[in-house]
Amino acid sequence: MEPIAENAVNKREEIKNKLRESFDGKIVRKDLTKKIKEGANVPVYVLEFLLGQYCSSDDESIIEQGVQNVKRILADNFVRPDESQKVLSKLRKKGSYTVIDMITARLDMKRNIYIASFSNLGIDNVLLEDEYPEKYDRLLCGGIWCIVQLDYEYVEEEKKNGMPVQIRKLTPIQMPHVEIDELKEGRKRFTEDEWLDIMMRSIGMEPDVLSEREKWLLLLRMVPLVENNFNLCELGPRSTGKSHLYKEISPNSILVSGGQTTVANLFYNMGRKTIGLVGMWDVVAFDEVAGIHFKDKDGIQIMKDYMASGSFARGKEEKAASASMVFVGNINQSVDVLLKTSSLFDPFPPEMGTDTAFLDRIHCYIPGWEIPKFRPEHFTNDYGFITDYLAEFLRELRKEQYGDALDEYFRLGRNLNQRDTIAVRKMVGGLVKLMYPDGEYTKEQLEEILKISLEMRRRVKEQLKKLGGMEFYDVNFSYINLEDMSEHYVSVPEQGGGKLIPEGLCNPGQVYTVSQGKSGMIGVFRLESQMLPGNGKLERTGLGSDRDARESSNTAFNYLKANGNRISGSISTTQKDYIINYQDLQGIGMTGKLALPTLIALCSIALGRPVQSSTAILGEISISGTLIKVDNLADTLQVCLDSGAKKVLLPQTSFVDFATVPPELMSAFQLIPYQSAEDAVFKALGVE
């Protein structure tokens, strides 16, 4: 363990030295932020704005002095809500005072003046000179943290209408303009791993306790800050910091807490003729998606229009804006349960979570359940960029486009439609900007970014497939390497990706079938059987109370009792008990069309022979053993392909429907026809 720890220390020291040389004055030790943050409820970017001014040194004595200065400034000037009256009293006594507070401005049309509200100080109706809202328009929408020099002048004659508090000078807490070329030049000095670690530390996380995968997932949270009109969703357990970046780290994003919102607030106020949050901020993030509710009936439709095109219609006008939309919320049950019972969008309110048109506009779904719950060791004590510098260069990068970066080496597979392509290109562009703002990367580095981008979009598509059926069945996302034209598929871990039907031989008694479930959707079912000494009973688990499914299992068992000797003399239904478990792998509702797969599962365990590898069993039999053809053959074969099947056993009666199946889908499998129930058993088990 010691050499590893020593290597980590050496690596950190090397990164720190490079940061000092390339970004001096723009970095800060994050443990300083933590120390002061615990005693002052200010956003991180406010704190680091001050630390950057007073603690930009490697000299411990200067740092200590700087920390004391920052603490004093916060103690004297930062307004705590419970001490607002004390601060006002000081202002009245001294006649002038400087405060740090969140300031919001609005236009008072009756008096034709701008007035300011102080969030923590708790005062309103303070006259604000026109120059401030004109120069800093976000004062008008959500407010920004400022250092404000106040004067107090009480005039007896004006006591009815006047406000004795006046603003002498207002300075938003934000970095001056960032030289993007300086950033690009500085980036060249770091490796990919070093730069990724710096980005993690800049948002307060310690990369040494994170896996590579976790670092990339945290980096994905930053894509909305560098990409215009990028729609991101992250749902997961509590305490994984889903909203932290948008609330604390970036002054260019606003977190909408509490569910209810209005079209006027979010998009456009027809009365005031002012644009809403999407026109004022780089990112509009919604905390706790379960509570999102529009007062306006057309709210969700306007949101859908905006998420699709970056514009929306209000009155006679078409308005455009560039804010990205972020939806974060909690999943309070295991992902496995959620996948089987509903969809990964279940925490959304019903009007959103079941609206495929809305969900299709989400470009990226971060699997929040893979991000660890943050403990003290997850927060770094090392150097990272001052958050305000980070936020400003991320904002500058919004002006650049890298969405076509993948075209040099790769082409997207044919299963991606136009929306999928836009989503993947935006994600690739965003991650390239974050990791390689200088535009220098290798083919392998770009491939890494392309894979994670395809996965994040496919996660959205997998859920759309559950909710919307065949319209969204092209989920088998891939990319083509232009060098050798090889095609590579990208799966989604929690779905098993294309591996619902695994490669290789399964255990005897295990069967995979694809059929239409109770919900009307087509999905994959797994049957697992056991055989015990007994007197001829059949036990079933996993069927619930579905009557049709129970009848189909009875059909299979009765057929086996009547025809077992024709299949094999070693099958006994009088001296053996059979147990069969039915699993609905995609949560589409248990089907009653499982007699033939049940028959094959029972024969497989009775004979101790596994079903052929990577095989999907299609088709059904009646009580008398008559073959029933496959419903929706093209759609069913598409699901077989998406689920990883390489062989498909299907009844000869389905051959009449081959004309409805695209040739490339037909050629994707080894198709194995059968002419009777016994023939199906023999061919499934590879018996000549």
Side-chain angles (χ1 to χ4, degrees), residues 212-340:
E212 195 73 8
R213 167 85 168 171
E214 287 162 355
K215 292 180 200 177
W216 280 97
L217 293 178
L218 291 175
L219 192 72
L220 274 161
R221 290 176 174 174
M222 300 166 74
V223 174
L225 293 164
V226 293
E227 278 293 311
N228 293 325
N229 303 108
F230 182 77
N231 308 317
L232 177 143
C233 162
E234 181 183 345
L235 303 176
R238 297 178 192 279
S239 306
T240 56
K242 293 183 289 294
S243 60
H244 177 71
L245 178 69
Y246 312 111
K247 183 182 181 185
E248 297 278 357
I249 302 295
S250 176
N252 299 323
S253 63
I254 186 166
L255 186 70
V256 180
S257 299
Q260 200 162 73
T261 187
T262 63
V263 170
N265 178 48
L266 200 56
F267 296 106
Y268 190 76
N269 189 313
M270 299 276 281
R272 295 182 186 168
K273 297 204 178 317
T274 54
I275 197 155
L277 299 177
V278 296
M280 298 291 182
W281 300 88
D282 291 351
V283 175
V284 177
F286 293 88
D287 200 7
E288 291 306 329
V289 293
I292 298 174
H293 175 67
F294 275 98
K295 286 183 180 177
D296 322 73
K297 288 181 183 175
D298 58 350
I300 289 177
Q301 186 57 49
I302 291 172
M303 183 180 270
K304 282 195 287 194
D305 292 346
Y306 176 74
M307 288 168 69
S309 63
S311 61
F312 52 91
R314 290 305 280 154
K316 296 177 182 177
E317 295 180 83
E318 181 90 2
K319 299 286 179 186
S322 62
S324 295
M325 303 287 253
V326 171
F327 303 91
V328 297
N330 295 324
I331 288 178
N332 299 317
Q333 54 190 309
S334 84
V335 172
D336 289 345
V337 170
L338 210 54
L339 284 168
K340 287 177 182 176

